[in-house]
Amino acid sequence: SAAQAIRQRNQVADITLISAESAYPYYRPALSDLIVKDVTEQEFNLNPEAWYEQNNIQIILNTVVQGVNATDRVVNLGNKTQLAYDKLILATGSSNFIPRLKGIEATGVFSIKEKEDALALRAYAEGKDRAVIIGGGVLGLEAADALQELGLSVTVVEAMDRIMPRQLDPSASEFMSFILNNKGVDLRTGSSVEEILTKDGVVTGVKICQDVISADIVVVSVGVRANVEVARSAGLTINRGIVVNENMQTSNPHIYACGDVAEFEGVATNLWAPAIEQGKVAGKHAVGDVATFANKVEPLSLIAFGTEMFAVGTYPLENIEQYQILMNADPKTGNFKKLYFDRDRLVYGVLFKDITKANVLLNGIRQGHSCYTIMNKLFV
């Protein structure tokens, strides 16, 4: 999005994209789709390959950036070459956190972050019977759904006492667990994998407390960490991510950051929509336009196990009795709605199955609708 924003405003600037991956930029939220079905490049890529040539954008693939000399404004590439820049935009993303477990490097252990990861898992899953997913968040459940669709029996192991603990309130989490159980998923909450069991370097299962779960595949999905190594080499200010201002400028005014690697006002969203918006702001500002980014309440969605989930806002962790709560749950149809109000202001909501009014909920959160206003829109 940054390169596109630049080219729309400046037809002559030299633009170079550098990626360690072999694939052209693609729609990363659809990675789990690659595990179960063929997706054409036209469907998956953000732009056709010809678009880059047509817009005079040089793209360098399979190339690692080793560091940045911010004083000389030079990017050092892994192939020993250097590229000079006037403005530099860092969109280095994040990497999956990999716990230090015995057996973590065995054949059959996967963590899905890139296109090649998803394709490798799909190929390896052929002819396999059992999979264990470590992590009960959105990405873990997407992987579990994909592997079950391929015919594997699936166990999800979550260290917290319920699944999706950061996104769903307890009752919504319980409803999601009900859906998983009905779909035949073996759900183990409040449990941690102590060891990945192997034979001759190949996964055979996992050990949980005194229990052993057989597995041909283990997928690790326990969070991400911002890729800040390049930023550190440039001497930029780093907290959880690269600290940026509203223009997406870092502590060096010639260097910008956007996406998973950026942190604005203490927030690193790790979500697609704000990442795209940040890229646009960085690109516009880099060529002299006035452009600013503002944090907004962003929704989280999941399509898996025959249902759709949409959650937005922050549910209260304490003093719940001070909140007004509206809830409607129907296990037979799979429909679920729950809203939290703080002094008659909508602050959190979650929908299952029927999410046709997701935008009503999102706008209600962002605008702080009252109970009466939102009830007439969502509960009729």
Side-chain angles (χ1 to χ4, degrees):
S1 61
Q4 193 166 10
I6 292 170
R7 184 55 78 224
Q8 287 173 348
R9 287 155 181 80
N10 188 316
Q11 300 300 312
V12 297
D14 291 331
I15 303 174
T16 302
L17 294 179
I18 306 168
S19 174
E21 295 189 56
S22 60
Y24 277 71
Y26 54 84
Y27 184 60
R28 202 170 292 272
L31 278 175
S32 60
D33 291 345
L34 294 181
I35 301 173
V36 292
K37 63 183 181 181
D38 294 325
V39 180
T40 66
E41 290 187 355
Q42 183 177 1
E43 295 173 306
F44 194 60
N45 288 356
L46 296 181
N47 295 294
E49 292 184 14
W51 179 86
Y52 298 92
E53 183 177 355
Q54 292 166 0
N55 286 274
N56 193 26
I57 296 174
Q58 181 185 14
I59 185 163
I60 303 174
L61 303 176
N62 296 306
T63 302
V64 175
V65 174
Q66 289 190 328
V68 172
N69 183 331
T71 302
D72 296 336
R73 296 194 207 174
V74 169
V75 175
N76 298 311
L77 304 183
N79 57 12
K80 307 300 182 182
T81 61
Q82 294 183 326
L83 290 177
Y85 66 86
D86 297 308
K87 301 291 184 181
L88 177 65
I89 300 177
L90 299 178
T92 48
S94 59
S95 296
N96 291 341
F97 174 72
I98 306 299
R100 295 181 178 179
L101 292 173
K102 184 178 179 181
I104 195 69
E105 296 182 357
T107 299
V109 178
F110 294 86
S111 187
I112 311 302
K113 188 62 180 178
E114 299 178 355
K115 180 179 180 179
E116 293 302 321
D117 299 328
L119 294 176
L121 175 56
R122 178 181 178 179
Y124 191 83
E126 186 173 352
K128 303 299 189 297
D129 298 318
R130 302 171 301 276
V132 169
I133 314 298
I134 304 177
V138 169
L139 299 181
L141 295 183
E142 286 180 342
D145 179 56
L147 289 170
Q148 189 182 69
E149 192 170 335
L150 290 178
L152 284 77
S153 62
V154 175
T155 299
V156 175
V157 181
E158 168 57 50
M160 302 293 285
D161 61 357
R162 55 191 180 85
I163 58 171
M164 298 181 68
R166 294 177 178 84
Q167 298 90 8
L168 300 180
D169 87 317
S171 59
S173 183
E174 182 180 358
F175 195 82
M176 187 71 213
S177 296
F178 172 79
I179 293 171
L180 293 177
N181 289 330
N182 278 352
K183 291 293 183 178
V185 175
D186 178 16
L187 187 58
R188 309 288 185 97
T189 56
S191 302
S192 295
V193 172
E194 299 174 353
E195 179 183 348
I196 297 175
L197 305 175
T198 65
K199 182 179 180 180
D200 299 327
V202 179
V203 168
T204 61
V206 299
K207 181 180 179 182
I208 303 175
C209 297
Q210 302 301 317
D211 195 9
V212 171
I213 304 173
S214 297
D216 305 301
I217 292 173
V218 173
V219 178
V220 180
S221 181
V222 291
V224 298
R225 301 291 185 273
N227 294 328
V228 297
E229 294 78 11
V230 173
R232 186 170 285 116
S233 74
L236 305 180
T237 300
I238 298 169
N239 190 22
R240 286 183 301 165
I242 305 171
V243 177
V244 296
N245 63 17
E246 62 183 3
N247 309 124
M248 307 314 296
Q249 284 176 302
T250 67
S251 53
N252 183 318
H254 301 291
I255 303 178
Y256 297 75
C258 56
D260 287 7
V261 76
E263 179 181 331
F264 174 59
E265 294 183 342
V267 177
T269 63
N270 296 314
L271 294 172
W272 183 258
I276 293 297
E277 182 61 26
Q278 288 177 356
K280 292 178 180 178
V281 170
K284 291 176 183 178
H285 197 270
V287 292
D289 274 8
V290 176
T292 58
F293 176 81
N295 284 323
K296 296 186 293 186
V297 177
E298 297 290 348
L300 186 72
S301 60
L302 170 69
I303 303 176
F305 299 104
T307 192
E308 296 184 60
M309 183 278 298
F310 184 91
V312 61
T314 304
Y315 69 87
L317 298 176
E318 55 187 18
N319 300 322
I320 295 180
E321 67 279 358
Q322 298 179 10
Y323 291 78
Q324 184 178 4
I325 300 173
L326 295 180
M327 177 174 164
N328 187 331
D330 187 348
K332 290 184 178 180
T333 63
N335 286 313
F336 178 98
K337 301 175 184 178
K338 190 170 185 180
L339 309 177
Y340 283 79
F341 297 85
D342 181 10
R343 286 164 290 188
D344 203 31
R345 180 184 178 89
L346 182 62
V347 294
Y348 173 79
V350 57
L351 307 174
F352 277 94
K353 193 70 173 183
D354 180 5
I355 65 167
T356 54
K357 295 184 178 180
N359 282 334
V360 173
L361 175 58
L362 177 59
N363 291 332
I365 292 284
R366 288 178 173 173
Q367 298 172 21
H369 283 175
S370 68
C371 178
Y372 176 80
T373 300
I374 202 71
M375 183 174 63
N376 287 333
K377 294 179 179 180
L378 284 178
F379 285 84
V380 293

